[in-house]
Amino acid sequence: TSFSVQFFEPIDPDTTRFTSVVFQTKLMGDLSASAEATIAALNESVKNFNRSVFSEDKQICEQVQQGARLTNQAGVLS
């Protein structure tokens, strides 16, 4: 019912700008009020789920960055 596209833009060694665009289902034609309410609830659920996952990922990525500072090996951009 949806998909998202993420952009990761390195700003400096400690900062990355993260942008996510979520594309959601749009049904054509006349929909009943209950169908519209169901779609709106589904779309809100998808947005909330993505925010939750991205929040978890942010914490993990920050910890990885801190760990990378503790090595004497050169970093790899990937």
Side-chain angles (χ1 to χ4, degrees), residues 7-57:
F7 302 92
F8 298 86
E9 181 184 358
I11 304 300
D12 60 40
D14 295 316
T15 307
T16 299
R17 178 178 292 126
F18 171 73
T19 304
S20 176
V21 181
V22 177
F23 297 89
Q24 298 174 317
T25 303
K26 180 176 181 179
L27 301 178
M28 305 302 287
D30 295 329
L31 300 175
S32 68
S34 63
E36 287 185 13
T38 300
I39 292 168
L42 177 62
N43 288 342
E44 189 64 25
S45 174
V46 167
K47 286 191 292 185
N48 290 336
F49 175 77
N50 280 341
R51 285 186 181 128
S52 176
V53 170
F54 295 153
S55 177
E56 293 170 4
D57 289 349

